[in-house]
């Protein structure tokens, strides 16, 4: 019997008259310590319920409703395992803990000490029915994974001191969204989702998921804050859409649907006062930028700001500004056809008024100023240096359309160029004087310092006629003046180019008859304004104030004078016409 008690003890509950007692070797026990009290005794205990007939028996631990005792499995020195179920058995059995209808609290594990609780299951898994709670301040309060705490699938870290925030996962009905919500003892709590190291945090990035990723509250419109670089990888016509109504008439849309897309727009910020820079991104070396309004809408640049507008590169001279509209209006079945729209309209602002009660002057109207570039300097030349020509300005009107039928049809008129100065302001009170009308001033450039260089020319050329048509330059009515240099008084000498082309008046007052010789035709052609052509003309006057002596005008090389003698006390106007302007054979005839 001693060997039986020390080595193997079979404790069974035996049904006796509808009651069960705890029996040890057939003797009822009020209290029982199972296991030897010394570590030298290696004992195994089996606690089973034995039933009779068809009724399944229950083996209870602390089954008596009247008891308040604590049942301890394992002592302070316990190092072995306590198995609920035979670890060597292959039979299917169910172990229920706290499955009655009472509101019992079942605590497994301790919140003190270093003890841990492991729930292990085979292919059947661990099922928890009803509310469950894990109380732990460990960094691995709940760990799920095939290898336990080694690279687990899920870890819940409850080690934060004074921890009061977490997450709540709310299930939803089919077709709606599962919700993950921050919990917090305070009014506000956030959620941080972090990848490890440089790993990518993906939302909806697994093949087969076709839903839209929505970030932000579309009801309260609380906004989205993104910290750090952001990348949108999409080949959609709406790769990035921003607007109050989503994709319906958005405020901003990025279309990345172009096949082999390799261009884009870079927006670069700067410090205050340094402006915002927009530039083209491209895999190529040179790339253009297009800016279009919708339909016939207007593109406004600076229409709300008050600063200047700069178009073109102010640092280098390689940029070219082209304003063009090459798309002709479509043909229509009526006449006339649709006029092409204006390419460039420049409209300056009206000058500001003044409300001063004494003598006031209104503000000047806005002007239009075009300043062309200076010519470059050949500063490194050793043998011969010629500076570059200053920038040219050209206005060319359009050619008239050709007539479409043979006979007497007439081609369209060429486009006109009109320079009209502003009218002076009207005087509407008493005997006040109206404002002076605006001037039109055409000023050519001055010659550079040094040597004998010509100043810039102003040329007015009529269009070339055809057949018996004529061309001409019309100067309207009103005062017409020339600004001439002071006339020179010459005797028997050779006049200068300036005497004939600038001063245009030669005075002869000598007491002898003298011969005044003109410059050569080559010198005169070289100094005539513009691109000189055959037929270009100029005139000069010889005023002979001598009482009895003549003045004879002799032509220099290449110059022919048809009536050279100017009588005493008389004057002659010589009209000179270029008959050859080719280099080395220049010729001029003066009548």
């Amino acid at each position: 019997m001693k060997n039986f008690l020390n080595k193997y003890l079979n404790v069974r509950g035996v049904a006796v008259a509808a009651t069960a007692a705890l029996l040890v070797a057939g003797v009822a026990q009020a209290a029982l310590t199972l296991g030897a009290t010394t570590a030298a005794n290696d004992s195994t205990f089996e606690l089973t319920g034995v039933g009779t007939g068809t009724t399944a028996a229950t083996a209870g631990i602390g089954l008596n409703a009247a008891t308040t005792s604590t049942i301890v499995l394992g002592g302070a020195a316990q190092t072995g395992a306590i198995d609920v179920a035979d670890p060597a058995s292959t039979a299917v059995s169910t172990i229920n803990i706290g499955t009655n209808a009472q509101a019992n609290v079942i605590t497994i594990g301790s919140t003190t000490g270093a003890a841990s609780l492991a729930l292990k299951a085979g292919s059947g898994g661990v099922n928890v029915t009803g509310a469950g709670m894990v109380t732990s301040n460990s960094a691995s309060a709940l760990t799920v994974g095939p290898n336990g705490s080694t690279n687990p699938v899920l870890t819940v870290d409850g080690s934060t001191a004074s921890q009061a925030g977490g997450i709540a996962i709310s299930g939803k009905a089919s077709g709606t969204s599962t919700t993950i919500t921050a919990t917090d003892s305070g009014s506000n709590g956030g959620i941080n989702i972090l990848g490890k190291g440089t790993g990518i945090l993906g939302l909806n990035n697994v093949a087969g998921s076709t839903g839209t990723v929505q970030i932000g509250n579309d009801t309260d419109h609380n906004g989205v804050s993104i910290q750090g670089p952001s990348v949108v990888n999409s080949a959609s016509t709406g790769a990035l859409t921003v607007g109050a109504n989503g994709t319906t008439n958005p405020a901003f849309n990025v279309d990345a649907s172009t096949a082999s897309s390799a261009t884009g727009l870079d927006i670069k910020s700067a410090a205050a006062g340094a402006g915002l820079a927009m530039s083209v991104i491209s895999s190529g070396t040179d790339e253009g930028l297009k800016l279009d309004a919708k339909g016939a809408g207007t593109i406004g640049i600076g229409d709300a700001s008050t600063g200047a507008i700069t178009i073109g590169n102010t640092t280098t001279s390689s940029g070219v500004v082209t304003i063009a509209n090459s798309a002709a209006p479509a043909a229509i079945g009526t006449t006339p056809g649709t006029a092409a729209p204006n390419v460039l309209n420049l409209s300056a602002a009206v000058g500001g008024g003044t409300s001063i009660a004494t003598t006031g002057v209104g503000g000047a109207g806005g002007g239009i100023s075009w300043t062309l570039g200076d010519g470059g300097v050949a500063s490194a030349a050793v043998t011969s240096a010629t500076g570059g020509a200053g920038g040219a300005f050209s206005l060319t009107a359009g050619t008239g359309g050709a007539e479409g039928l043979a006979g007497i049809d007439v081609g369209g008129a060429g486009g006109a160029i009109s320079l009209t100065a502003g009218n002076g302001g009207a005087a509407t009170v008493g005997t006040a004087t109206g404002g002076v009308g605006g001037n039109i001033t055409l000023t050519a450039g001055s010659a550079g310092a040094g040597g004998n260089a010509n100043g810039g020319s102003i040329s007015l050329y009529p269009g070339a006629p055809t057949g018996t048509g004529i061309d001409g330059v019309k100067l309207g009515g009103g005062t017409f003046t020339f600004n001439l240099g002071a006339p020179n008084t010459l005797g028997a000498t050779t006049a200068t180019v300036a005497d004939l082309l600038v001063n245009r008046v030669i005075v002869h007052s000598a007491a002898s008859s003298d011969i005044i010789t003109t410059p050569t035709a080559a010198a005169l052609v070289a100094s005539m304004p513009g691109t000189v052509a055959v037929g270009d003309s100029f005139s000069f006057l010889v005023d002979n104030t001598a009482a009895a002596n003549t003045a004879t005008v002799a032509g220099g090389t290449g110059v022919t004078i048809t009536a050279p003698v100017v009588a005493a006390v008389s004057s002659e106007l010589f009209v000179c016409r270029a008959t050859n302007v080719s280099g080395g054979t220049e010729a001029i005839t003066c009548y």
Side-chain angles (χ1 to χ4, degrees):
M1 186 67 175
K2 179 179 180 181
N3 293 334
F4 174 78
L5 290 173
N6 289 339
K7 187 65 178 176
Y8 188 85
L9 179 62
N10 186 8
V11 181
R12 300 178 183 277
V14 181
V16 179
T19 62
L22 182 61
L23 304 177
V24 178
V27 180
Q29 302 292 322
L32 179 65
T33 298
L34 302 180
T37 59
T38 62
N41 294 299
D42 184 10
S43 302
T44 300
F45 300 103
E46 179 182 347
L47 179 62
T48 61
V50 180
T52 59
T54 60
T55 302
T58 300
I61 300 177
L63 190 61
N64 191 340
T67 184
T68 59
S69 302
T70 299
I71 299 174
V72 179
L73 299 180
Q78 174 71 31
T79 59
I82 300 176
D83 295 313
V84 183
D86 187 353
S89 174
T90 59
V92 177
S93 61
T94 301
I95 300 172
N96 297 320
I97 301 176
T99 57
N100 60 10
Q102 302 300 320
N104 297 330
V105 176
I106 300 174
T107 301
I108 302 176
S110 173
T111 59
T112 61
S116 62
L117 173 65
L119 297 178
K120 299 181 180 181
S123 61
V126 176
N127 297 322
V128 178
T129 302
M133 178 175 61
V134 177
T135 302
S136 174
N137 60 359
S138 170
S140 302
L142 177 62
T143 302
V144 179
N147 301 311
S149 60
T150 302
N151 298 322
V153 176
L154 173 68
T155 297
V156 177
D157 183 352
S159 63
T160 301
S162 303
Q163 186 273 328
I167 63 170
I169 302 176
S170 302
K172 299 293 183 179
S174 176
T176 59
S177 300
T178 301
T179 302
I180 301 176
T181 307
T183 61
D184 198 286
S185 60
S187 301
N188 304 302
I191 297 177
N192 292 329
I193 302 177
L194 306 176
K196 184 176 182 180
T198 59
I200 296 175
L201 181 63
L203 296 177
N204 206 30
N205 64 340
V206 178
S209 178
T210 58
T212 300
V213 177
Q214 177 175 314
I215 301 176
N217 188 330
D218 60 356
T219 302
D220 298 328
H221 303 289
N222 293 326
V224 176
S225 176
I226 300 177
Q227 307 293 328
S230 301
V231 177
V232 178
N233 191 340
S234 173
S236 170
T237 56
L240 178 60
T241 301
V242 180
N245 301 310
T247 58
T248 303
N249 298 323
F252 178 76
N253 184 74
V254 176
D255 183 350
S257 64
T258 302
S260 302
S261 174
T263 64
L265 181 67
D266 181 81
I267 301 176
K268 183 176 177 57
S269 65
L276 177 71
M278 299 174 63
S279 59
V280 173
I281 303 169
S282 176
S283 59
T285 303
D286 303 308
E287 205 67 63
L289 174 65
K290 295 181 180 180
L291 180 64
D292 290 317
K294 184 176 182 180
T298 300
I299 297 177
I301 300 177
D303 57 354
S305 61
T306 57
I309 298 174
T310 300
I311 299 177
N313 193 330
T314 60
T315 303
T316 64
S317 59
S318 59
V320 177
V321 178
T322 301
I323 300 176
N325 184 359
S326 58
I332 58 177
T334 58
T335 186
T338 304
N342 294 336
V343 174
L344 177 63
N345 292 323
L346 299 177
S347 178
V350 176
T354 177
S355 59
I356 192 171
T358 56
T359 301
V361 178
I368 296 174
S369 176
W370 289 351
T371 301
L372 305 182
D374 297 334
V377 178
S379 58
V382 176
T383 56
S384 176
T386 301
F393 179 77
S394 175
L395 288 177
T396 304
T399 302
E403 55 86 13
L405 297 174
I408 60 173
D409 294 308
V410 179
I417 295 176
S418 176
L419 298 177
T420 304
N423 296 328
T428 59
V429 179
T431 59
T433 302
V436 176
N439 297 324
I440 295 178
T441 301
L442 300 177
T443 303
S446 300
N452 298 303
N454 295 332
S457 301
I458 297 176
S459 300
L460 299 177
Y461 291 106
T466 58
T468 58
I470 61 173
D471 56 2
V473 175
K474 178 180 180 180
L475 300 178
T479 303
F480 185 81
T481 62
F482 290 101
N483 189 336
L484 302 179
N488 279 339
T489 300
L490 302 179
T493 186
T494 299
T496 65
V497 169
D499 289 332
L500 272 63
L501 297 181
V502 180
N503 304 331
R504 300 180 62 186
V505 175
I506 296 174
V507 176
H508 176 261
S509 60
S512 60
S513 295
D514 295 318
I515 297 175
I516 302 173
T517 305
T518 70
T520 65
L524 290 169
V525 168
S527 299
M528 292 173 66
T531 302
V532 183
V534 172
D536 286 359
S537 303
F538 62 91
S539 61
F540 66 95
L541 178 74
V542 175
D543 182 17
N544 186 7
T545 62
N549 300 303
T550 62
T552 301
V553 179
T557 302
V559 178
T560 301
I561 308 296
T562 60
V565 179
V566 180
V569 194
S570 65
S571 60
E572 296 287 346
L573 178 66
F574 293 85
V575 178
C576 302
R577 178 179 180 272
T579 58
N580 190 336
V581 295
S582 299
T585 60
E586 295 91 344
I588 293 176
T589 299
C590 297
Y591 303 94

